Amino acid sequence: MATSEELAQIDISKEEKDKLVQEVTRYVLFKTHQTSGCPIKREELTGIVTKNYRQRALPTLVINEARDRLAATFGYEMRELQRTRAPSTRAGRASQPQVNAEAKSYVLVSQLDPEVYSKCVEDKAAAPLSAFSFTAISLVHLAGGKISEEDLWHQLKRLGLKENDENHPALGNNKQALELLVQQRYLLKEKLAGPEGHVVMYELAERALDESSSGKLKDYIAKIVGTSTAAEETSS
């Protein structure tokens, strides 16, 4: 929370600052819901502040207070993401990932107890899409963190999910469901040049590599593998 001295230095009243914090908080909540959790660019939030104010330090102050309010009032962490890019070389190999500071953005991550979140917040209608997301990310993880588009759809097809199905009863357009994972920054999609032409590759992006997400993913996979192994031993 900014002190009266800090506000005086920036030359803005507490009422004006509070109104900006409310606008940024409201924008983050509605944009997250509207885009199914896609990251929100920092420049979008900065634009809300600079639309009528020119103080250089004001956007950072407002965004930080909006983060505090989202945590205290709604139980959300407004987590900062920085896109990791892996530019391709002519030979089709990706160079070492580089952080692009200009691509800074945010996502909301619930800090509520999982049972409370499931009971009070979670959208039950989105369960099929969540299951698809977990499955696709798990397949990429099991492939070593990177898989070709052809191999990924081959594995998904074994689960009854066809690449060109635009009318899936639960997902709608299957290709768009996979593309949403790229927009949400769970997967990174890249076209690489190889000896037999271009190959589209998917790899785990920053949200899937996040320690909390990665840990949950490994736990779920371990449970599934353990259950499968136990079932095989019982039947043999």
Side-chain angles (χ1 to χ4, degrees), residues 20 31 52 69 74 77 89 120 137 162 187 210-211 218 235-236:
L20 287 171
K31 186 68 179 289
N52 296 313
R69 179 166 299 184
F74 301 98
E77 176 191 354
T89 63
C120 304
I137 295 169
K162 299 178 180 178
L187 296 179
D210 179 82
E211 186 175 345
K218 292 176 182 177
S235 62
S236 60

Side-chain angles (χ1 to χ4, degrees), residues 159-192:
L159 301 174
L161 296 165
K162 299 178 180 178
E163 179 179 0
N164 296 317
D165 188 352
E166 299 180 357
N167 297 290
H168 188 278
L171 301 175
N173 189 309
N174 287 346
K175 275 189 175 181
Q176 289 181 3
L178 183 59
E179 184 61 30
L180 181 60
L181 293 179
V182 177
Q183 295 171 4
Q184 293 173 330
R185 304 257 285 273
Y186 286 106
L187 296 179
L188 177 67
K189 182 180 180 180
E190 187 172 24
K191 183 181 288 187
L192 300 177

Side-chain angles (χ1 to χ4, degrees), residues 201-216:
M201 300 293 296
Y202 286 95
E203 62 181 289
L204 299 177
E206 52 270 67
R207 289 183 76 177
L209 293 170
D210 179 82
E211 186 175 345
S212 60
S213 298
S214 179
K216 291 177 182 177

Side-chain angles (χ1 to χ4, degrees), residues 26-218:
R26 190 183 307 115
Y27 182 88
V28 171
L29 288 170
F30 278 95
K31 186 68 179 289
T32 297
H33 176 74
Q34 184 182 44
T35 63
S36 300
C38 291
I40 299 169
K41 294 180 181 179
R42 182 182 175 89
E43 62 190 41
E44 295 179 52
L45 306 183
T46 300
I48 295 173
V49 179
T50 58
K51 180 169 60 177
N52 296 313
Y53 297 89
R54 294 291 178 265
Q55 295 93 322
R56 292 185 61 184
L58 188 57
T60 297
L61 184 149
V62 169
I63 290 172
N64 286 340
E65 287 205 14
R67 296 175 79 167
D68 292 340
R69 179 166 299 184
L70 284 162
T73 306
F74 301 98
Y76 282 117
E77 176 191 354
M78 192 169 117
R79 186 172 296 175
E80 182 180 308
L81 294 179
Q82 287 188 321
R83 181 180 292 281
T84 300
R85 301 182 184 277
S88 302
T89 63
R90 289 185 179 180
R93 294 183 179 179
S95 62
Q96 289 297 316
Q98 297 177 340
V99 173
N100 183 351
E102 297 179 1
K104 187 182 293 184
S105 57
Y106 303 96
V107 293
L108 291 185
V109 179
S110 175
Q111 299 301 299
L112 297 175
D113 179 270
E115 291 186 7
V116 174
Y117 181 84
S118 177
K119 183 178 180 180
C120 304
V121 181
E122 189 175 34
D123 181 7
K124 304 302 182 184
L129 185 58
S130 298
F132 171 81
S133 301
F134 170 76
T135 301
I137 295 169
S138 297
L139 289 170
V140 179
H141 173 78
L142 290 170
K146 179 181 288 190
I147 190 172
S148 70
E149 182 177 45
E150 181 180 356
D151 287 343
L152 178 56
W153 278 114
H154 175 73
Q155 297 298 328
L156 289 171
K157 187 177 180 180
R158 296 176 64 184
L159 301 174
L161 296 165
K162 299 178 180 178
E163 179 179 0
N164 296 317
D165 188 352
E166 299 180 357
N167 297 290
H168 188 278
L171 301 175
N173 189 309
N174 287 346
K175 275 189 175 181
Q176 289 181 3
L178 183 59
E179 184 61 30
L180 181 60
L181 293 179
V182 177
Q183 295 171 4
Q184 293 173 330
R185 304 257 285 273
Y186 286 106
L187 296 179
L188 177 67
K189 182 180 180 180
E190 187 172 24
K191 183 181 288 187
L192 300 177
E196 299 181 2
H198 287 93
V199 178
V200 175
M201 300 293 296
Y202 286 95
E203 62 181 289
L204 299 177
E206 52 270 67
R207 289 183 76 177
L209 293 170
D210 179 82
E211 186 175 345
S212 60
S213 298
S214 179
K216 291 177 182 177
L217 187 66
K218 292 176 182 177

Side-chain angles (χ1 to χ4, degrees), residues 213-226:
S213 298
S214 179
K216 291 177 182 177
L217 187 66
K218 292 176 182 177
D219 288 342
Y220 280 126
I221 292 174
K223 288 179 182 178
I224 293 172
V225 173

